[in-house]
Amino acid sequence: METPDKTPAADAAESAEAPAEPERTGIATQDWERASADPTYRAAVIDLLGALAYGELAAFERLAEDAKLAPSLADKAELASMASAEFHHFEKLSERLAAIDAEPTEAMEPFAAALDEFHRQTAPSDWLEGLIKAYVGDSIASDFYREVAARLDSDTRDLVLSVLDDTGHSSFAVEKVRAAIEADPRVGGRLALWARRLMGEALSQAQRVVADRDALSTMLVGGVADGFDLAEVGKMFSRITEAHTKRMAALGLAA
């Protein structure tokens, strides 16, 4: 079957690729059964899945709320579809937590207050800011979790990567934002400032998630996951920043 032509927005969104995965070593070459024999690693995975699960639940709530700001019925339906996908991801993570004998609510609880505060501080004031947040803010978080996923056991890595799949945010947001800037170039300056704020808040949030949980921070700096040290963590955040710059360009905004 002939492949349909891609829209410029889809091409721009795809060009803003996530950072490349580091080479897999150590635990990343093992499955869950072997890797989880280390209690510190098991605790780190439960923390990670708990943070992801609450993030997906919060994303579902936010997208459902943002749908109220949609300028058309078609846009409302598109956001409702994205919200449904996020909730499906939440369900997959909750099921996995239960399968490894971790209570999902307990696993999510340590991250609820910080993530709620992040969303409170970055509540969009209109439709376009909501799209920027869905595209830029969520993509930064996804980049962070993909970097971590490269150091996980194969079973957990597959699950994490599956729930980080794009739910349609990218091409939809790029198309709408670029069209809005084309219609009124003055919008670009305001949205660029908003995106830069989101970048700072999202990186701070990612750093807090790690710093507040001993098992996660140990995994990232090399105590559990082989190959990650403090210098590599710095490089990781540099890669995330570079990917953000590409996404800003895809939107037609200055980083």
Side-chain angles (χ1 to χ4, degrees):
M1 184 170 62
E2 184 177 350
T3 302
D5 292 337
K6 295 180 180 178
T7 65
D11 287 336
E14 288 186 8
S15 69
E17 297 178 354
E21 291 184 7
E23 182 182 354
R24 292 169 186 166
T25 57
I27 284 179
T29 65
Q30 301 175 13
D31 61 14
W32 169 252
E33 185 176 359
R34 291 180 59 198
S36 62
D38 183 328
T40 303
Y41 176 76
R42 184 179 186 279
V45 167
I46 290 173
D47 273 351
L48 180 66
L49 297 184
L52 265 172
Y54 191 76
E56 296 289 352
L57 182 60
F60 159 73
E61 293 177 320
R62 190 185 73 250
L63 286 168
E65 186 68 21
D66 287 351
K68 298 176 182 178
L69 301 172
S72 73
L73 185 58
D75 291 335
K76 188 186 295 287
E78 185 71 26
L79 280 196
S81 176
M82 293 179 193
S84 177
E86 299 287 12
F87 192 77
H88 179 60
H89 291 166
F90 161 74
E91 289 179 316
K92 289 176 66 174
L93 290 160
S94 295
E95 289 168 1
R96 178 59 178 168
L97 283 163
I100 61 174
D101 298 322
E103 207 289 313
T105 302
E106 291 180 3
M108 292 188 290
E109 188 62 38
F111 308 99
L115 285 170
D116 286 348
E117 179 63 13
F118 167 75
H119 288 303
R120 187 191 68 79
Q121 292 179 351
T122 58
S125 62
D126 61 20
W127 163 249
L128 290 175
E129 287 190 1
L131 289 179
I132 294 286
K133 182 175 179 179
Y135 179 52
V136 172
D138 290 357
S139 294
I140 292 169
S142 293
D143 287 348
F144 169 72
Y145 287 121
R146 282 192 180 92
E147 291 272 357
V148 176
R151 307 294 170 167
L152 298 172
D153 66 273
S154 58
D155 298 316
T156 305
R157 180 173 63 247
D158 289 346
L159 170 64
V160 169
L161 293 178
S162 74
V163 301
L164 293 177
D165 282 345
D166 182 25
T167 58
H169 289 168
S170 298
S171 59
F172 181 74
V174 169
E175 178 184 354
K176 297 296 181 180
V177 171
R178 288 170 72 99
I181 294 173
E182 183 176 347
D184 182 2
R186 294 173 298 178
V187 169
R190 173 174 68 86
L191 294 181
L193 287 174
W194 171 244
R196 285 195 285 272
R197 178 184 169 194
L198 286 171
M199 174 65 175
E201 293 286 353
L203 284 181
S204 295
Q205 173 64 29
Q207 291 165 342
R208 284 196 298 270
V209 165
V210 174
D212 290 347
R213 305 297 293 177
D214 289 343
L216 270 181
S217 59
T218 298
M219 183 172 70
L220 281 178
V221 299
V224 178
D226 178 65
F228 241 124
D229 57 23
L230 287 172
E232 184 57 32
V233 170
K235 293 177 183 177
M236 175 184 73
F237 282 108
S238 293
R239 289 191 294 269
I240 293 172
T241 301
E242 181 180 350
H244 167 73
T245 301
K246 292 180 179 178
R247 290 191 183 97
M248 291 287 282
L251 288 167
L253 300 174

